[in-house]
Amino acid sequence: MSKKEPEPRQIIDESPKRHPYGAKVGIILDVGDELGFNGEACLLVDDKSIVRISPLQDESQLGRQQPQKLDVYVEGFATAAEAEQKGLKLSLALLWEAVSRKHPLRLDYHTPRPCMVYDRTQESGSGCMATASATVVMNSSKMVELVNQIFSANIDVDEKLLVSMELFASARLETTERARFVGLVSSLEPLAQQETYEISELKQLVESFVDQLNTTSIPKDIKSSLNGRINGLKKESISQAIRRLVKEHFPENPDAVSTVEEAYDIRSKILHQGAFDADLAQKSNEIEDIIRQIYSRILKLELYVRPNQ
């Protein structure tokens, strides 16, 4: 009788030197938004890596007065590069879970990227030496299903999409309506790729203007600033790029374009004039729904719909 082969997670758990690397992503949930389990949990994700969630506070002591902080680990990689890529995908998965369920979340990191790679065979570093066998299995949460959607999808992590979703998911944690609104609208900018106008007449006009500027006695620092702004005329504006982005994802819905245009105009007035709009809460909800749909269409995944909706 042949000996039963160990499960991949068991190999990772019991032979850390074979798969020494992992990645950690810190997250902060909104006040009162708790995951509903006590202590550390191991998520039964579809791929063969180990994903653990470890609260940094005792959830039973949180009440509804302070946000919950958690570290999420993904383990079981032979190289640091593999761990980093999986850590970025974990970051995207956590953001998608927050976007899809429409609850705020902030990534908590102080490194160039939102995930930190560590060697779990070393006692220093993250201090993460716990194993999956010591955790409580959590396999019934909607969170697991949404994380699995990203882990199972054959997608490369687009870091501009990651930045956009990070701005979006954390916007609702802002304490004022204006800050929330600005954060939501600003999350569109990383997705909007400004196109260069391939118009020879326009290029000649811009170059002629630059040549004329350089022959003037205008101070050098002002010339430098103007040169940059003039050359910027060769590209579409960021507002035009956002408008095109929305049209591409909502060709059947011109109202979405006008809603985003109005929101971007209000954002500019808030930032440059200190203005306030009486209907910001309603406009935040409208722009939030549009951006969630854009993420859904980019990732080709369906948004979570609550049973009573």
Side-chain angles (χ1 to χ4, degrees):
M1 185 176 179
S2 61
K3 185 177 179 182
K4 184 179 179 181
E5 290 293 326
E7 292 289 331
R9 288 190 183 89
Q10 182 182 350
I11 295 173
I12 293 170
D13 185 25
E14 296 178 354
S15 307
K17 290 185 178 180
R18 292 176 60 182
H19 303 275
Y21 292 101
K24 181 185 78 171
V25 179
I27 61 174
I28 300 174
L29 304 181
D30 198 6
V31 174
D33 187 4
E34 300 170 6
L35 292 180
F37 62 92
N38 293 320
E40 189 174 278
C42 181
L43 308 186
L44 293 183
V45 294
D46 289 340
D47 73 354
K48 305 307 179 184
S49 56
I50 293 175
V51 177
R52 296 184 296 106
I53 295 184
S54 180
L56 298 183
Q57 310 113 308
D58 180 356
E59 190 170 318
S60 65
Q61 302 299 318
L62 285 174
R64 303 185 64 85
Q65 302 304 313
Q66 58 182 309
Q68 185 182 15
K69 295 185 178 183
L70 307 99
D71 283 336
V72 187
Y73 302 90
V74 58
E75 299 172 333
F77 305 98
T79 68
E82 291 174 349
E84 182 177 60
Q85 288 306 306
K86 198 66 174 187
L88 290 174
K89 202 161 189 178
L90 176 62
S91 303
L92 180 63
L94 293 168
L95 288 169
W96 168 245
E97 187 271 341
V99 167
S100 189
R101 292 179 66 191
K102 207 172 180 179
H103 69 77
L105 175 146
R106 176 172 289 136
L107 297 183
D108 185 24
Y109 62 97
H110 305 282
T111 53
R113 285 182 159 182
C115 62
M116 184 186 79
V117 175
Y118 61 90
D119 183 342
R120 62 197 182 109
T121 65
Q122 303 296 319
E123 293 185 2
S124 60
S126 71
C128 169
M129 299 300 294
T131 62
S133 59
T135 65
V136 176
V137 173
M138 186 174 79
N139 59 5
S140 59
S141 171
K142 188 67 184 178
M143 177 182 182
V144 181
E145 180 181 337
L146 294 168
V147 169
N148 268 329
Q149 285 184 335
I150 297 297
F151 273 25
S152 301
N154 184 24
I155 58 173
D156 295 323
V157 177
D158 182 332
E159 296 211 36
K160 289 185 177 180
L161 174 62
L162 202 63
V163 170
S164 172
M165 292 178 72
E166 182 179 343
L167 291 172
F168 178 89
S170 63
R172 286 291 183 183
L173 292 171
E174 297 292 347
T175 56
T176 69
E177 196 60 55
R178 284 201 297 186
R180 294 185 195 112
F181 182 82
V182 168
L184 288 171
V185 178
S186 297
S187 68
L188 283 167
E189 290 198 7
L191 301 178
Q193 302 299 307
Q194 293 172 269
E195 289 189 348
T196 299
Y197 295 124
E198 298 298 334
I199 305 172
S200 58
E201 189 175 2
L202 174 61
K203 290 181 180 179
Q204 293 171 8
L205 184 63
V206 169
E207 289 167 3
S208 173
F209 196 0
V210 169
D211 289 340
Q212 291 179 56
L213 175 67
N214 289 335
T215 62
T216 68
S217 59
I218 294 173
K220 185 177 179 180
D221 58 337
I222 298 178
K223 277 185 184 179
S224 178
S225 174
L226 291 173
N227 267 319
R229 293 165 65 183
I230 293 168
N231 278 300
L233 296 174
K234 296 177 182 178
K235 285 186 177 182
E236 65 180 344
S237 65
I238 187 64
S239 60
Q240 177 65 22
I242 289 174
R243 184 177 187 274
R244 181 169 48 80
L245 169 77
V246 178
K247 285 183 68 174
E248 288 172 358
H249 288 288
F250 296 92
E252 76 294 348
N253 186 2
D255 289 343
V257 178
S258 60
T259 297
V260 170
E261 286 181 327
E262 181 187 13
Y264 201 77
D265 182 56
I266 293 171
R267 169 192 176 272
S268 296
K269 290 178 180 177
I270 290 172
L271 292 178
H272 303 300
Q273 300 175 21
F276 186 84
D277 191 290
D279 298 324
L280 272 187
Q282 178 184 342
K283 289 181 170 64
S284 291
N285 289 332
E286 292 171 355
I287 196 73
E288 186 177 47
D289 288 339
I290 291 171
I291 299 172
R292 289 175 73 240
Q293 288 291 339
I294 290 175
Y295 294 144
S296 173
R297 297 180 186 197
I298 290 174
L299 294 169
K300 297 180 173 62
L301 296 172
E302 293 294 325
L303 292 164
Y304 172 62
V305 178
R306 297 185 187 280
N308 61 348
Q309 288 183 340

